[in-house]
Amino acid sequence: MIWDEIVVPTDLDEVVDEISYQRVVMNAGTTWDYIPWHYDHVYAQNHGHPTIFVNTMHLAGFIDRVATGWAGPDSRVVRRKVTLLGSIYAGDSMVGRGRVVGKRREKSRLVDLEIGVYNQRDELCCPAEVTVELSG
């Protein structure tokens, strides 16, 4: 992303990710998150969920993907504030939408984003505030 071309506000491209049962389980295992509602369908149902669901680290990674997908490969996330409002379940679509809400120069070039993670029913599951640093 070229600093001088960034306009506030600007909408980011929508990112859609299909969430399979296998991905939920694999992500939980990869991140050592062994709470059973991330891999045991019966356990999840016994705790009020329709099925297993992605963990917080999966959501954070997706939020970073939306941010750096827009900002480019030389960007990095330097701040992320996440609020969990709902769950993304196996079989759902995870939809990321965002917008540029500010840009500033401190020691580096920083861009502030608001990103929302929705499900396929357009329910907001995870709003986030993200700051990315641009190189150069």
Side-chain angles (χ1 to χ4, degrees):
M1 183 56 55
I2 299 172
W3 177 257
D4 292 332
E5 295 178 3
I6 297 172
V7 176
V8 179
T10 297
D11 289 334
L12 281 58
D13 290 337
E14 184 176 275
V15 178
V16 179
D17 199 3
E18 303 301 325
I19 304 302
S20 68
Y21 279 79
Q22 181 179 13
R23 287 192 56 215
V24 174
V25 173
M26 288 176 66
N27 184 267
T30 300
T31 58
W32 294 22
D33 188 351
Y34 299 124
I35 297 173
W37 52 43
H38 296 309
Y39 62 86
D40 184 334
H41 175 77
V42 173
Y43 184 90
Q45 284 188 323
N46 287 341
H47 286 82
H49 298 278
T51 191
I52 61 175
F53 53 94
V54 300
N55 66 12
T56 305
M57 289 174 274
H58 193 137
L59 288 163
F62 181 70
I63 289 163
D64 289 1
R65 175 181 162 197
V66 173
T68 59
W70 169 80
D74 294 328
S75 66
R76 71 183 184 107
V77 173
V78 295
R79 178 183 166 273
R80 178 190 331 105
K81 178 182 176 186
V82 175
T83 303
L84 300 175
L85 301 178
S87 298
I88 301 288
Y89 295 100
D92 280 352
S93 295
M94 188 161 51
V95 181
R97 297 187 192 114
R99 69 175 177 260
V100 177
V101 295
K103 74 178 196 177
R104 62 191 187 285
R105 288 182 193 239
E106 292 178 0
K107 292 180 181 179
S108 59
R109 296 175 179 171
L110 302 174
V111 180
D112 296 314
L113 309 171
E114 290 178 351
I115 296 174
V117 179
Y118 298 79
N119 61 24
Q120 71 277 8
R121 292 177 298 281
D122 205 32
E123 298 165 337
L124 179 61
C125 298
C126 184
E129 299 171 9
V130 176
T131 301
V132 292
E133 178 183 58
L134 303 180
S135 67

